[in-house]
Every structure is written in structure tokens, then in C-alpha cells.
């Protein structure tokens, strides 16, 4: 077994024991269950919102907190003296967090369809593309938080403080139709707003909006590049 495989196994076990993982899985599932009583069969809005909440929590809470904590504890610095580089740990973490986000999304899709009669995703390929681009954009912001935060606790705080206004603007706390027009317009171009709309379009069978995908890709590229530029290993 290679060092990378051993590292992936260890990190996977730590991820499953992380209370943040339980929180990130339970909160969107709880919201889906609680509010599904007010939806009609075939609804896709609530499941799309729940999926966005899950990916937002993973990207803005779990990713930055984990990486900043590793740097604070000197784990990344110590790895630089072993055959397994800090970059390998970073790669493993991002892959595992992506897999976790996919599992959370899959669970929400299954529960929505089986338990609450939501419509099945109409355009699976478009939904997959929206998920990958949106998750990349949100993870890029999480990486930027990890790159600039002084400690794991600081990354946690920044992530939480950033999550709630983005969730509000993105229509995760109330329908955007109930928001002031200016805020609703701004929210359409936030990472969570873009993700929610793109997922909802694909799930409901609406036409793909290339602009949404392009903006999410730009977020991932630009913010991810800035995060890589300022990321500190120690």
C-alpha cells in the first residue's frame, strides 16, 4: 500500500469521526424533513435548497477548519520532512471532502424522492456538471479562508460568518421572491445562489443557463488561484 493510500485511509477515518461531518449531513436533512410537509409532490425547490446547504457547510465550514487546524498544529510542516508531502495531504482532504459532499447530496436526493415524492432529476448530466462546478467554486472560497486564517478556530469563525450572509443572499433562508429586488439580484451571483439555481434548473428540467456555469467556473479558477498563491504550509 502506498503512502498516499495509507494517508487517504487515515484521513477518511478522521473525517467520519469529525462532529462537523455529522453536522453538515444532519442540518440539511433536518431542514428537508421539517419543511417537506409544506411542499407538493414533484417539488424540486426544497431538495435543491437542501443540497446547496449541505455543500455550503462542507465547503465553508469543514474544508477551511480542517486545513487551518492542520497548519496550526504543525502537521503540514512535519509532513514536509516525510515522503508524503503536505500537498498530498491537501489533495487527499479535498478529494475526501468532495466525496463526502457527493454522499450528502445523494442521500438528500434519495430521501427527497422516496420519502417526499420529489420529482426525479430531469437532466442528470447537467445536474452533475452544475454540482461539480458549484462545489469547486464553494471549495475555492473555503481554501481561501484556510489560506488566510491564523488558526483553525479563526477559520471556523470566518467560515460561519461568511456562510450565513451568502445563504441569505442565495435564497436558502427565504425565497428570493420575498427579498428586496436589489438583494435578490446580488444573491443570484453569489456562489450559493448560483449553485442552488443551477441545481434546481437541472433537477426540474429547465434549460441550462450557461452564464451560471461560467460564473461558477470563474469563481473556482480565480478564487482558487488566489488561495493557492497565499496558502501557507506553516
Amino acid at each position: 500500500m502506498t503512502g498516499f493510500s495509507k494517508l487517504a485511509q487515515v484521513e477518511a477515518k478522521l473525517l467520519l469521526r469529525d462532529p462537523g461531518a455529522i453536522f453538515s449531513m444532519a442540518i440539511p436533512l433536518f431542514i428537508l424533513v421539517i419543511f417537506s410537509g409544506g411542499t407538493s409532490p414533484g417539488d424540486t425547490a426544497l431538495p435543491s435548497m437542501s443540497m446547496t446547504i449541505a455543500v455550503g457547510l462542507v465547503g465553508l465550514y469543514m474544508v477551511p477548519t480542517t486545513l487551518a487546524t492542520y497548519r496550526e498544529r504543525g502537521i503540514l510542516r512535519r509532513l514536509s520532512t516525510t515522503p508524503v508531502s503536505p500537498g498530498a495531504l491537501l489533495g487527499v482532504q479535498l478529494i475526501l471532502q468532495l466525496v463526502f459532499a457527493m454522499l450528502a447530496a445523494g442521500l438528500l436526493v434519495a430521501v427527497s424522492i422516496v420519502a417526499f415524492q420529489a420529482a426525479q432529476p430531469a437532466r442528470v448530466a447537467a445536474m452533475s456538471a452544475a454540482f461539480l462546478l458549484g462545489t469547486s467554486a464553494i471549495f475555492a472560497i473555503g481554501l481561501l479562508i484556510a489560506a488566510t486564517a491564523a488558526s483553525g478556530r479563526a477559520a471556523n469563525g470566518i467560515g460561519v460568518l461568511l456562510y450565513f450572509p451568502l445563504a441569505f443572499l442565495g435564497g436558502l433562508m427565504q425565497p428570493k421572491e420575498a427579498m428586496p429586488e436589489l438583494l435578490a439580484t446580488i444573491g443570484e451571483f453569489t456562489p450559493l445562489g448560483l449553485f442552488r439555481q443551477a441545481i434546481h434548473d437541472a433537477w426540474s428540467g429547465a434549460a441550462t443557463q450557461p452564464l451560471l456555469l461560467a460564473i461558477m467556473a470563474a469563481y473556482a479558477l480565480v478564487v482558487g488561484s488566489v488561495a493557492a498563491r497565499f496558502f501557507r504550509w506553516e
Side-chain angles (χ1 to χ4, degrees), residues 22-227:
I22 300 174
F23 176 81
S24 298
M25 183 76 79
I27 290 298
L29 186 59
F30 175 79
I31 290 173
L32 178 65
V33 172
I34 291 297
F35 290 101
S36 62
T39 62
S40 56
D43 175 66
T44 57
L46 180 60
S48 300
M49 182 186 74
S50 300
M51 188 185 297
T52 306
I53 292 172
V55 174
L57 287 173
V58 174
L60 300 178
Y61 170 68
M62 291 181 62
V63 169
T65 301
T66 300
L67 295 178
T69 298
Y70 279 7
R71 183 177 61 236
E72 180 185 11
R73 293 177 178 175
I75 295 174
L76 299 181
R77 183 183 67 252
R78 290 197 294 272
L79 276 176
S80 63
T81 63
T82 70
V84 180
S85 68
L89 176 61
L90 178 61
V92 165
Q93 267 296 322
L94 290 177
I95 292 171
L96 289 175
Q97 300 284 7
L98 174 60
V99 171
F100 181 79
M102 293 172 65
L103 291 174
L107 175 63
L108 291 168
V109 171
V111 172
S112 298
I113 296 172
V114 175
F116 304 118
Q117 292 76 54
Q120 295 189 19
R123 302 172 62 236
V124 176
M127 189 172 176
S128 300
F131 182 88
L132 290 174
L133 285 173
T135 301
S136 297
I138 295 167
F139 275 28
I141 297 174
L143 280 173
L144 182 59
I145 296 172
T148 55
S151 64
R153 180 173 296 182
N156 188 334
I158 295 170
V160 171
L161 287 175
L162 188 59
Y163 175 83
F164 284 104
L166 287 178
F168 173 77
L169 290 171
L172 304 184
M173 295 183 176
Q174 63 175 346
K176 66 177 185 178
E177 292 78 14
M179 297 170 60
E181 183 177 354
L182 176 60
L183 291 182
T185 301
I186 294 173
E188 291 176 358
F189 297 97
T190 62
L192 295 183
L194 291 163
F195 184 94
R196 181 193 60 78
Q197 187 62 54
I199 291 294
H200 182 254
D201 287 346
W203 201 327
S204 64
T208 298
Q209 301 183 55
L211 179 61
L212 301 186
L213 303 181
I215 296 175
M216 288 192 291
Y219 268 119
L221 180 62
V222 175
V223 179
S225 297
V226 174

